[in-house]
Amino acid sequence: PCRGTNHGPGTTPRPGGAAVTPALQVVDLPNNMLTGQLPPEFSTVSEVLMPNNMISGYIGPTFDFSTSLRRLVMPRNRLMGTVPNLANAGALVELDLEFNMLTGPLPAQLGSNVTAIKLIGNQLSGPLPANVGPWLLQPGSCCHGALLHVLIC
């Protein structure tokens, strides 16, 4: 795993660098002052854990959720744009994008294995995803069942 907390400035590891290799499975870099955009190559690892940084930009169409990515945990960054389409995110079990700068509608569906999605602290709108289920009565609720924990505001 690529792990570390140094509380110092820097940029996200870039593709082709020592930190992004085919053997890399976990990027665990919480509580740093990392800046830059989320490299699309990070979608090839199983876990991206980068809370409390200053990562900016969009999680765009080049970020491939159909790969082996199981956890994308990036609360308290500066991510912008919409929540990405997760319909084909077969391996994804956790999506935590709380307290970023996300806007717009939620995706129509979540991946079939998602058990936790945290989106509080963004400016999201629109209906809840189709496969969240009727037990979620309003944004900000928690639910139990196929989807274990949902926080959306």
Side-chain angles (χ1 to χ4, degrees):
C2 176
R3 298 181 191 272
T5 300
N6 66 13
H7 303 290
T11 59
T12 55
R14 298 309 308 164
V20 181
T21 67
L24 184 65
Q25 292 299 306
V26 177
V27 176
D28 188 4
L29 297 168
N31 307 315
N32 290 282
M33 292 188 288
L34 295 176
T35 60
Q37 295 188 349
L38 181 64
E41 289 78 7
F42 279 10
S43 63
T44 64
V45 303
S46 64
E47 298 183 20
V48 176
L49 312 170
M50 297 179 71
N52 304 312
N53 282 289
M54 292 185 287
I55 307 299
S56 61
Y58 301 88
I59 303 174
T62 57
F63 201 85
D64 186 4
F65 281 96
S66 66
T67 62
S68 59
L69 184 66
R70 293 182 41 77
R71 296 177 67 206
L72 180 60
V73 178
M74 296 191 65
R76 294 175 174 80
N77 278 282
R78 296 179 179 173
L79 297 172
M80 300 179 290
T82 59
V83 176
N85 182 352
L86 302 173
N88 295 322
L92 190 69
V93 295
E94 181 180 2
L95 178 69
D96 183 349
L97 299 175
E98 291 181 314
F99 300 103
N100 278 283
M101 295 184 287
L102 300 172
T103 59
L106 295 169
Q109 287 198 332
L110 300 175
S112 59
N113 293 318
V114 174
T115 58
I117 182 168
K118 299 176 184 176
L119 298 170
I120 272 180
N122 290 288
Q123 298 297 315
L124 301 172
S125 62
L128 296 171
N131 61 340
V132 166
W135 55 85
L136 184 61
L137 300 176
Q138 59 185 344
S141 298
C142 291
C143 62
H144 299 281
L147 193 64
L148 300 178
H149 188 78
V150 175
L151 295 173
I152 301 171
C153 282

